[in-house]
Amino acid sequence: MTATTVTGNRDTATSGGTPALVVVAHGSRDPRALSTVRALLDRVRALRPALPVHLGHIELNEPLLPGTLTALGDGEAVLVPLLLGRGYHVKRDIPDMAAASPARTRVAAPLGPHPLLVDALHARLTEAGWPARPAPDHAVVLASAGSRDPESRADTSRTAALLAARLGVPVVPAYASAATPTVPEAIRTLTARGHRRIALASCFTAPGRFATQCAAAAPWIASATLGTHPSMARLLLHRYDRARGAGGEANAPEGARDCFDVRLRREARPVTPHAALAR
């Protein structure tokens, strides 16, 4: 196949039989988000130099995903959402944009829940001052963006459970929007249970409005966003590899698929570029 690397306004063709990795970020008006995502992709490239790695955004930032896929022509690609659970973007937006492109694509599972994600969350908490031996009055609020999709909330709850098992303290999931409890509500619940040292674990891939809003509510320490932590780069490659393979994802939540072939959606329900972009 011929893979296409987008450099500025010019497409640079590279040949090879390996499907491209397209990392699909949400997009943010915060300029730190784009620079963080680009730095994370540089980590991925350093881990696997021969793999063509591209970036596409759902909204707000260039390059947008449809443009990235158009540049690939009819090449093969695996789309890995830089998202931390199932939800509308993973289930509909990304597959619809992929189905509207000429590229031969598969959409991988989102990054969470997974032990590598918990590795990154734990490391960020430790950097913020989380102790090696927490006391009985310690607890954590796991702050994430939020979604109305119950499967997205289930994924966040599963990540919270994995982190609680790692830390040995209660971890309560909380949300910046579209779901409850909010971060202040989760803090009040833990305080009522006698916890006096409540840390906030920032379950966001990059800085942005929601991450800043949640960190400001922390009564004690707040971890940095996951950003360019090495486990995040490894997790992106893990999802890519699993989507290419025939086996299921051992760490995926109940009912989740490791990936699905967008060609099946194309055959079942054609999607025009205009319809996909209008969402």
Side-chain angles (χ1 to χ4, degrees):
M1 95 179 184
T2 300
T4 307
T5 303
V6 181
T7 307
N9 294 321
R10 182 183 60 185
D11 293 348
T12 303
T14 59
S15 61
T18 303
L21 164 60
V22 177
V23 176
V24 185
H26 182 276
S28 172
R29 292 184 176 86
D30 190 318
R32 297 173 297 170
L34 181 55
S35 61
T36 299
V37 171
R38 284 175 171 164
L40 176 59
L41 266 61
D42 287 342
R43 278 194 177 272
V44 173
R45 294 183 182 104
L47 288 172
R48 200 169 297 182
L51 177 64
V53 178
H54 307 272
L55 173 61
H57 291 93
I58 297 169
E59 60 181 356
L60 299 176
N61 291 121
E62 296 285 347
L64 291 171
L65 179 58
T68 296
L69 294 176
T70 296
L72 290 174
D74 63 354
E76 189 175 359
V78 174
L79 280 58
V80 180
L82 189 60
L83 301 170
L84 303 176
R86 293 167 292 174
Y88 192 86
H89 291 315
V90 171
K91 293 178 178 179
R92 295 301 301 269
D93 283 337
I94 296 173
D96 282 359
M97 291 179 189
S101 79
R104 293 170 290 132
T105 56
R106 287 190 173 196
V107 179
L111 300 188
H114 195 276
L116 284 169
L117 177 60
V118 175
D119 287 347
L121 287 165
H122 187 189
R124 292 298 190 223
L125 276 171
T126 300
E127 292 166 1
W130 182 261
R133 296 180 180 178
D137 67 343
H138 284 58
V140 172
V141 171
L142 180 71
S144 67
S147 171
R148 293 182 178 87
D149 191 311
E151 288 188 318
S152 176
R153 296 194 296 274
D155 290 346
T156 304
S157 294
R158 177 61 178 155
T159 298
L162 291 171
L163 184 60
R166 179 76 59 90
L167 298 176
V169 303
V171 177
V172 175
Y175 306 95
S177 69
T180 57
T182 65
V183 169
E185 288 169 345
I187 291 168
R188 286 195 292 271
T189 296
L190 287 168
T191 301
R193 294 174 184 172
H195 296 284
R196 296 293 176 264
R197 289 287 192 176
I198 302 172
L200 184 132
S202 186
C203 196
F204 298 94
T205 57
R209 178 169 64 90
F210 284 162
T212 301
Q213 170 187 316
C214 290
W220 181 37
I221 60 173
S223 66
T225 56
L226 299 162
T228 60
H229 190 275
S231 290
M232 295 294 287
R234 291 169 54 206
L235 183 50
L236 284 167
L237 287 171
H238 172 76
R239 292 303 196 204
Y240 168 87
D241 290 336
R242 297 296 293 186
R244 288 190 64 196
E249 172 58 74
N251 292 300
E254 184 68 26
R257 290 173 294 180
D258 181 59
C259 69
F260 79 88
D261 193 330
V262 175
R263 286 172 294 185
L264 300 178
R265 173 170 291 216
R266 236 189 232 123
E267 293 165 4
R269 183 174 59 84
V271 179
T272 66
H274 293 297
L277 291 171
R279 294 190 179 276

